[in-house]
Amino acid sequence: MKFEEIQEILNRQLLKLENRCLNDTEQLLLRGLWQKKTYQEIAQENGYSSSYLANVVAPGLYDKVSQLIGSPINKKNFLSRLQSHCTNSTSLQYCGNEYPQNERPEYPDAPVSYNYYYYLKRTKLEAKIIEEIGQSGALVRIKAPKKWGKTSLLLTILEACQQQLGYQIVSLNLQKADQDIIADFNKFLRWICRNCARQLNLEAKLDDYWDEDIGIKMSWTIYFEEYILQEIKQPLVLALDEVHRVFEHPKVAEDFLPLIRACYEESKRSPLWQKLRLIIVQSTESYVSLRLEQSPFNVGLPIELQGFGQEQVAELAKKYQLNELATNEIQQLIDLVGGHPALIHLAIYHLSQERITIEDLIKSAITSTGIYSSHLQLHWVTLQKQPELADVFQQICQGNQPMILDPIIAYKLNSMGLIKLRENQAIVSCQLYQKYFRSQYTGSV
C-alpha cells in the first residue's frame, strides 16, 4: 500500500473513534517511520529535537494506533502491524473528488478548531511552542493582530499540552472580564485566581490567602504558592488570552505585567514555581512604560505570527478543492490582504463555493458587494467612534511616507491590524485597507 493510503485510513478511523485526526507532527513521524528512518534522522530533516519526537510524539502515535488495532504497538512492531491492519481495512472512502465525509466547509467567521479539516496548521511553530512548554517555568509570548489565528493556535497548543504532556490547563480570555474588573487591580487578580480554582475543580478559598495588609501582589503570590501549586499534581499551563486589554488601564498594567515577570523569574529559583508554565497572547506589544527588568515582553519565547505565504495559501486552496488556482493568482490575493489569514480563508471559501473568479473577487473587494464589505464596514464604524484614531489613520492612508505615532494610538491601530509598525513608524498594513479607506476619505481609489 502507498503511504498516502495508510495515512488516510488512520485519519478516517481516528476521526470516527476520537473525532480528531493525526496532528501534523504525528503524520510527519508516521511518514518517517514508514520510510524506516530513525528518530534522529526524522528530527534532523524536519527541524525537531529527537527527544521530543521519541518521548512526546511517538508514544502518542503508538497509543492511538494501538487503540485502532486492539493490540500493543511499539517501534519494533509498528510497521508490520500497521500494514496488516490497513490492508484488511475497508474504511478508505474518500475518492479525492469530494469533500471528506462530515467535513463540508462552513463559513469561516470564527476561530478555527484545531481538529477542523480546514484548519491550516503551523506544524513547526506548534512543535517549537510545545517543546518550550515542556521546560520548567516556561513563558511563551504569542503576538499578532486580531483574526490572525492566535486563538486557534492557542487551542491547538493547549490540547497538545493536555493530551501529549499530561499537563493541567487553565485558559483565561480577558475579553470575558468585565471592564470594571480589569480597571481595578485587586478585583482583576482575584478574578484570575477564582477562575484558576474553578477550572482546576478547586474551592476558591480566596479569603484564606488574601491579606491587603501585606499587599495585593503578595496575596496573589501566596495564593499560588501555598494553594494552587501545592494542590496540583502535574505542571500547570496558565494561558492568558487578549492580554492587550490590560494596556488600556496603564496603572493596572504597570502592576500586573511586572507580577507576571516576577512569577517567571521565581521559577528559576523555586522548584514549586517551576510547575507553572505561562502563555501570554496579545494583539500587539505593550506601550505601557516599564523598566526593562520589569517587562515580561523581553523574556521567554517570543512568537509573532506571520501572514500566509504561497505554500500555505496553496495548501488551504487544495483543502477546498481549488487545485487550479494559479501561483500568480495566489500572489495577487496575498498582496491584496497582506497575507491576513482570516481574509485569505474567506476568499478561498468564496472561490470554492460560488461562481466567482479571483479577478472579480479582487476587483469588487472594496465595494459594498465585495466579500470583505462587512469586515471593512466594521473597521470604519469602529474608527468613527474613536475620532482620535480616525484622524491619524486618515493621515497615514493619504500620506506616502511612514509616520511616527503616539504610542497609545499606534497600539490601538496595530491591534486592529490596520497598520504595521517598522521601527516605531506606521504604514497601512495592506492594499485592501489602503484602497478602501482612501476611497472613504477622498471619494476615489
Side-chain angles (χ1 to χ4, degrees):
M1 298 184 72
K2 295 181 179 179
F3 170 77
E4 288 73 17
E5 294 174 324
I6 297 286
Q7 180 177 255
E8 188 67 29
I9 289 173
L10 288 183
N11 280 332
R12 288 282 139 228
Q13 294 182 344
L14 283 169
L15 191 63
K16 183 176 181 181
L17 180 67
E18 300 182 356
N19 195 31
R20 58 175 296 180
C21 299
L22 295 173
N23 63 42
D24 283 6
T25 315
E26 290 169 333
Q27 295 191 62
L28 180 149
L29 178 62
L30 176 64
R31 181 182 291 275
L33 294 173
W34 185 256
Q35 295 169 345
K36 298 183 179 180
K37 295 178 180 178
T38 66
Y39 293 136
Q40 183 69 34
E41 290 172 332
I42 300 170
Q44 288 178 346
E45 289 174 3
N46 296 279
Y48 295 98
S49 71
S50 57
S51 61
Y52 172 69
L53 292 181
N55 300 323
V56 177
V57 183
L61 175 63
Y62 297 154
D63 182 63
K64 289 177 182 179
V65 176
S66 295
Q67 291 182 51
L68 293 178
I69 294 178
S71 59
I73 291 290
N74 54 45
K75 190 175 188 297
K76 188 174 182 179
N77 64 23
F78 178 70
L79 289 181
S80 60
R81 293 193 177 184
L82 178 62
Q83 187 163 18
S84 176
H85 170 74
C86 291
T87 300
N88 296 326
S89 175
T90 58
S91 63
L92 185 58
Q93 299 174 352
Y94 177 44
C95 299
N97 296 320
E98 302 174 358
Y99 292 107
Q101 187 178 4
N102 299 323
E103 288 292 355
R104 299 293 300 180
E106 299 177 356
Y107 188 77
D109 61 348
V112 181
S113 173
Y114 65 89
N115 60 356
Y116 184 46
Y117 177 76
Y118 301 95
Y119 173 50
L120 202 57
K121 296 184 179 181
R122 306 172 191 253
T123 309
K124 290 188 178 181
L125 184 60
E126 292 167 8
K128 182 179 181 180
I129 296 172
I130 294 167
E131 186 172 9
E132 181 69 17
I133 292 296
Q135 306 301 313
S136 298
L139 169 63
V140 175
R141 300 178 281 113
I142 301 173
K143 184 183 78 168
K146 293 178 181 177
K147 294 185 177 295
W148 274 60
K150 300 186 302 299
T151 299
S152 294
L153 175 62
L154 179 61
L155 292 173
T156 304
I157 297 304
L158 294 180
E159 172 70 12
C161 289
Q162 193 169 40
Q163 297 298 325
Q164 296 179 23
L165 302 179
Y167 291 175
Q168 293 184 266
I169 303 298
V170 170
S171 181
L172 302 179
N173 188 325
L174 300 195
Q175 290 289 3
K176 296 181 179 180
D178 296 342
Q179 191 69 242
D180 66 314
I181 288 177
I182 296 182
D184 185 310
F185 188 48
N186 184 53
K187 287 183 179 179
F188 182 47
L189 290 193
R190 288 176 67 93
W191 181 86
I192 292 176
C193 290
R194 184 174 292 276
N195 278 284
C196 281
R198 180 179 60 83
Q199 292 191 28
L200 293 170
N201 295 315
L202 298 172
E203 293 183 51
K205 294 185 178 181
L206 275 171
D207 293 334
D208 292 350
Y209 298 90
W210 220 259
D211 184 350
E212 294 188 19
D213 288 338
I214 64 172
I216 300 169
K217 291 183 182 180
M218 279 302 300
S219 294
W220 151 288
T221 302
I222 292 170
Y223 186 79
F224 270 87
E225 196 169 80
E226 297 184 4
Y227 184 45
I228 297 292
L229 297 178
Q230 292 282 0
E231 289 290 328
I232 60 175
K233 305 302 182 186
Q234 300 297 327
L236 168 65
V237 179
L238 173 57
L240 301 175
D241 199 358
E242 306 283 354
V243 168
H244 54 272
R245 281 203 68 196
V246 179
F247 304 163
E248 298 168 14
H249 306 280
K251 290 185 178 180
V252 174
E254 288 170 10
D255 280 325
F256 178 65
L257 298 176
L259 179 59
I260 295 296
R261 169 70 177 254
C263 292
Y264 169 75
E265 291 179 340
E266 193 65 32
S267 69
K268 306 306 177 186
R269 299 184 291 268
S270 167
L272 188 62
W273 280 92
Q274 289 174 6
K275 295 167 72 175
L276 180 64
R277 319 295 162 88
L278 291 163
I279 303 178
I280 298 176
V281 184
Q282 67 209 78
S283 288
T284 186
E285 272 299 4
S286 169
Y287 288 92
V288 178
S289 178
L290 292 176
R291 294 195 301 273
L292 191 64
E293 71 274 11
Q294 291 182 318
S295 175
F297 300 113
N298 57 12
V299 294
L301 175 66
I303 300 293
E304 185 165 1
L305 300 189
Q306 303 299 317
F308 284 170
Q310 278 272 353
E311 291 185 6
Q312 291 166 303
V313 178
E315 181 183 349
L316 185 63
K318 185 177 180 181
K319 286 176 177 286
Y320 278 89
Q321 308 298 309
L322 289 173
N323 299 319
E324 73 282 1
L325 203 59
T327 300
N328 67 313
E329 293 176 324
I330 291 175
Q331 191 59 52
Q332 288 176 31
L333 181 57
I334 292 173
D335 292 341
L336 176 68
V337 299
H340 192 305
L343 299 185
I344 285 178
H345 200 151
L346 185 62
I348 296 296
Y349 172 84
H350 279 279
L351 289 170
S352 71
Q353 298 299 301
E354 301 176 6
R355 296 184 181 279
I356 183 173
T357 65
I358 187 72
E359 291 81 7
D360 290 338
L361 187 152
I362 293 174
K363 185 177 180 180
S364 65
I366 68 169
T367 69
S368 59
T369 59
I371 67 169
Y372 299 127
S373 60
S374 295
H375 174 80
L376 294 169
Q377 288 168 13
L378 180 60
H379 275 314
W380 177 255
V381 170
T382 300
L383 287 173
Q384 297 315 296
K385 291 179 180 179
Q386 302 180 68
E388 73 282 4
L389 297 185
D391 291 344
V392 172
F393 190 57
Q394 181 176 357
Q395 296 176 45
I396 298 172
C397 287
Q398 294 177 338
N400 295 318
Q401 297 295 327
M403 286 181 57
I404 297 177
L405 306 183
D406 171 82
I408 296 298
I409 297 292
Y411 143 64
K412 291 182 178 180
L413 290 174
N414 190 21
S415 68
M416 293 170 67
L418 294 176
I419 64 171
K420 291 181 180 179
L421 294 172
R422 296 176 180 172
E423 298 180 353
N424 296 323
Q425 293 185 319
I427 60 172
V428 183
S429 62
C430 66
Q431 294 176 9
L432 179 70
Y433 295 151
Q434 180 84 59
K435 293 178 180 179
Y436 174 77
F437 286 102
R438 181 174 286 177
S439 70
Q440 292 293 103
Y441 291 130
T442 65
S444 61
V445 178

